Amino acid sequence: EKIGEGKYADVYLASKKVDGVVAHCAVKYISLPKNGETVKDLIEEGTIKDESEIFTYYSDLVSDLKKDFNVMKKFEGNPYFLNCYEWFQEKKESGNGIDIYIRMEKAKDINDYFKMNKLSEEEVIKLGIDISKALEICEKKNIIHKDIKPENIFFGEDEHYKLGDFGAALTSAFISKGRKVTGTYSYMSKEAYEKEEVSFSTDIYSLGLVMYMLLNDGNLPFQKEGVSLTEATKIRLSGEKIPKINGVNSDLMNIILKACSYEANNRYQSAITLKEDLNHIISKKKTNKRNSGTTISVYDTDLLEKE
């Protein structure tokens, strides 16, 4: 069953019976070229100049994909990362192109997940805590994800939010060499956009924007009727102060605005402190309920602090 589709890849649900128990996973099928795309098409759209560049073009794509897979393998077994298990590639029968199959954990990106599930402040806090835990581990390995956005955050069957797609990731060694920075424009920080030195706070900034968007009816800062996403992004990257969202818990709003500070020095410098502040909101809610005389069940996961 096809459960996802992208420019180069389709994702299928796969199952296997082991000792009478059916286990599920996802298989990403990457076809280069996809859907009858030809060398001529690539030339016409300006992706390559002529036929002599086709081998380099596909080789670079495969190299980037393999890099992403190898980074993800480092986190295999960790609940806060999308688990990738196996890689297989082969030449197309036609001889012109490559087919790649990646077996990975079954999960939905949050755009799909929140179409089917009610979004609450508590759920956004949980997402923030889970991805902060992932970024905390990245910091220990000197990895900057550099492309935090809804499409790269997933919700797994174990009910954890997970970070995926490390294709744009940089290690601290790369940063010191002044390597060019890429990412997704609408979730990009000032320093990433201006190709300045990035840091762990760059990922925290983008996570803050994701949380802001989820609490703002799917709109990023300054995005509203009459203002396109492109225009809103230009306003944000100009340094305009990001406005508060009406009706959002004030403590949560302050945390998000700190994460999204224009200047990197004013943000959280580590995912650990962001996680601690988000956990504090949950603890505060738990205390308020106790003081109000409300009984809290040990099964009330929205109120229990996540460690």
Side-chain angles (χ1 to χ4, degrees), residues 59-260:
S59 295
D60 287 346
L61 279 177
V62 173
S63 176
D64 288 344
L65 289 165
K66 196 65 182 281
K67 173 190 170 186
D68 178 36
F69 176 80
N70 288 334
V71 174
M72 294 301 298
K73 283 289 286 184
K74 293 180 181 181
F75 305 114
E76 187 174 331
N78 189 295
Y80 304 110
F81 295 89
L82 185 67
N83 281 258
C84 292
Y85 307 118
E86 294 179 272
W87 169 289
F88 176 76
Q89 72 181 64
E90 61 184 355
K91 288 184 178 180
K92 286 184 175 292
E93 291 183 0
S94 65
N96 184 24
I98 302 169
D99 285 335
I100 299 168
Y101 304 85
I102 303 173
R103 187 171 71 87
M104 58 179 58
E105 179 180 6
K106 179 190 172 190
K108 290 184 176 181
D109 73 50
I110 60 172
N111 284 330
D112 288 337
Y113 177 68
F114 285 127
K115 285 178 184 176
M116 306 294 294
N117 296 272
K118 184 180 178 181
L119 182 63
S120 64
E121 285 187 5
E122 286 77 12
E123 201 65 28
V124 174
I125 293 171
K126 174 174 168 50
L127 181 150
I129 291 172
D130 283 357
I131 301 304
S132 291
K133 289 178 179 179
L135 293 178
E136 183 181 346
I137 295 168
C138 288
E139 289 173 13
K140 291 177 181 177
K141 294 181 180 291
N142 284 325
I143 293 173
I144 299 175
H145 186 282
K146 206 165 51 57
D147 197 18
I148 306 286
K149 60 183 178 181
E151 292 82 0
N152 291 339
I153 298 175
F154 302 82
F155 189 76
E157 293 186 319
D158 59 0
E159 298 190 349
H160 284 301
Y161 291 97
K162 303 167 185 287
L163 187 57
D165 194 346
F166 278 75
L170 284 178
T171 64
S172 57
F174 286 150
I175 297 165
S176 63
K177 294 176 183 177
R179 182 171 170 169
K180 285 186 177 181
V181 175
T182 58
T184 300
Y185 182 55
S186 52
Y187 288 89
M188 196 176 283
S189 66
K190 163 209 169 202
E191 65 273 15
Y193 176 68
E194 295 179 353
K195 295 183 174 63
E196 297 174 350
E197 183 175 341
V198 295
S199 65
F200 299 131
S201 74
T202 304
D203 282 344
I204 291 171
Y205 180 91
S206 298
L207 173 57
L209 283 182
V210 171
M211 297 174 70
Y212 188 103
M213 178 274 297
L214 292 172
L215 293 167
N216 196 36
D217 297 324
N219 294 313
L220 283 161
F222 309 109
Q223 186 184 1
K224 56 186 178 181
E225 188 174 351
V227 181
S228 69
L229 176 57
T230 299
E231 292 169 330
T233 303
K234 287 179 179 178
I235 295 171
R236 176 176 61 79
L237 289 173
S238 73
E240 188 80 20
K241 186 177 180 180
I242 293 177
K244 293 184 177 182
I245 304 169
N246 292 331
V248 172
N249 176 287
S250 59
D251 291 336
L252 176 57
M253 195 71 254
N254 289 335
I255 289 171
I256 290 173
L257 292 179
K258 180 176 179 179
C260 294

Side-chain angles (χ1 to χ4, degrees), residues 293-305:
T294 303
T295 300
I296 300 175
S297 166
V298 294
Y299 301 105
D300 192 346
T301 56
D302 284 343
L303 296 173
L304 292 175
E305 181 173 348

